[in-house]
Amino acid sequence: MRNKYLLYIGIFLCMGIWACSNDAVYYNVNQKRSIYFTWDRYNSVTKTASDTVFFSFALYNETEYEYRIPIKVAGMPLDEELTYEVEVVADSSTAIYDKHFRFGKLVIPKNEVEGYLSIILDRTEDIMDHPVILYLKFKENDYFKPIANNYYRLSVVDGALPEPQWWAPNFLGVYARNNDRLYRKMLEYFWQLEELKPIFYKEKVEEYGLYLEHAKAGFYQVKGNIIWINYVFKPAYDFYTDPANTYEGFDMVNPDRFIR
């Protein structure tokens, strides 16, 4: 009896293998692959869903900036460069092509299933007070078919960062004397902590805000402040004490004196 059962099981497995093999014959390897934006709509800091990504020129000195949006395609990588197309949804966008933005090269590199959409953003006077919106979707072409309801909505604005309440002129220099540059540089190093010190970064964003706008005076001078000194204040100080990078008005003291 046992042998009979084993025989039935063997026949069943063979039929299953044949069925799977038979299905594989009908798979069309040349069918269009899906392409989609991979941005995370879920904000890990505020725990809320957002349908817009925000970019501000206030953090940069450049008149143009290459903004990269991560994208991905389904399927195995191919040994050739594939072109994709992007559509600007006119009734949902206020950004103007060749005025506020233009596209870089629209390709998925060979042997890759991930890439990025390169957008060159231009710093224009009209975005100083009013942001412009860029609403993007993929268009179907010979290689790719977009996923339904997949889009990227980017808000672009400019303007000077206001002086934070914790700014100490005797330690950091008079803010009005071009020291918004120092503030921006500190923020750049602070945001790098998302990868370098993720737990610390998450805690501080929740407590102080993404721009450290809710931080209290002297927050970087509390006991056990070595992360602030080594990863944020000291690198910013070293950057601007370099004669190649310094500016008129830079008057920050050596952050080593903040160590507690």
Side-chain angles (χ1 to χ4, degrees):
M1 181 66 68
R2 184 184 177 203
N3 290 337
K4 181 186 294 186
Y5 284 135
L6 291 175
L7 177 62
Y8 288 153
I9 292 173
I11 293 172
F12 177 78
L13 290 175
C14 289
M15 291 178 66
I17 293 172
W18 177 85
C20 293
S21 300
N22 194 47
D23 289 342
V25 172
Y26 295 99
Y27 177 71
N28 182 6
V29 295
N30 296 316
Q31 66 183 347
K32 293 182 182 180
R33 297 189 294 169
S34 298
I35 186 169
Y36 54 97
F37 298 109
T38 59
W39 67 294
D40 187 0
R41 292 182 58 200
Y42 193 76
N43 189 311
S44 61
V45 175
T46 62
K47 301 301 181 184
T48 58
S50 172
D51 65 352
T52 306
V53 178
F54 298 91
F55 172 85
S56 175
F57 270 107
L59 301 176
Y60 305 94
N61 296 321
E62 294 81 3
T63 57
E64 67 175 34
Y65 181 85
E66 184 187 15
Y67 186 86
R68 296 182 174 186
I69 304 174
I71 62 177
K72 193 171 183 178
V73 299
M76 298 296 292
L78 299 179
D79 189 22
E80 61 178 313
E81 189 176 77
L82 299 179
T83 302
Y84 60 86
E85 296 182 47
V86 178
E87 172 187 6
V88 177
V89 182
D91 60 2
S92 300
S93 301
T94 56
I96 300 173
Y97 188 79
D98 267 344
K99 177 181 180 182
H100 300 116
F101 74 99
R102 57 192 184 278
F103 293 120
K105 193 176 182 181
L106 305 180
V107 297
I108 296 293
K110 66 178 182 178
N111 300 320
E112 297 288 344
V113 294
E114 296 182 355
Y116 61 85
L117 168 58
S118 173
I119 304 177
I120 308 302
L121 300 175
D122 290 309
R123 193 172 206 159
T124 57
E125 293 184 4
D126 60 322
I127 64 172
M128 181 64 70
D129 301 312
H130 302 286
V132 292
I133 301 296
L134 184 57
Y135 192 104
L136 301 172
K137 287 186 175 182
F138 287 108
K139 292 178 62 177
E140 185 171 357
N141 67 1
D142 293 338
Y143 304 107
F144 300 110
K145 183 177 182 179
I147 289 180
N149 301 320
N150 182 249
Y151 66 90
Y152 197 95
R153 191 172 187 266
L154 177 66
S155 175
V156 184
V157 72
D158 198 359
L161 288 171
E163 180 178 352
Q165 61 181 356
W166 48 265
W167 195 266
N170 54 322
F171 292 143
L172 306 174
V174 177
Y175 191 80
R177 296 190 62 207
N178 300 318
N179 279 301
D180 58 308
R181 299 186 186 185
L182 177 58
Y183 180 28
R184 290 197 302 267
K185 186 59 65 176
M186 291 176 180
L187 289 176
E188 289 178 19
Y189 288 119
F190 171 56
W191 293 336
Q192 289 179 13
L193 293 179
E194 185 174 14
E195 293 186 1
L196 299 174
K197 301 287 183 180
I199 296 177
F200 177 88
Y201 177 80
K202 183 177 182 296
E203 291 176 349
K204 296 312 173 186
V205 169
E206 291 177 344
E207 184 179 2
Y208 297 152
L210 187 62
Y211 291 84
L212 302 177
E213 67 271 25
H214 304 307
K216 297 180 180 179
F219 74 93
Y220 49 88
Q221 294 177 282
V222 298
K223 186 177 180 181
N225 62 350
I226 196 65
I227 291 181
W228 286 117
I229 303 307
N230 286 347
Y231 290 91
V232 179
F233 283 78
K234 187 70 172 179
Y237 173 81
D238 291 342
F239 181 85
Y240 282 123
T241 50
D242 184 340
N245 301 320
T246 197
Y247 58 88
E248 183 178 359
F250 175 70
D251 193 27
M252 182 182 185
V253 301
N254 192 321
D256 285 343
R257 64 186 295 180
F258 300 152
I259 297 176
R260 294 290 183 270

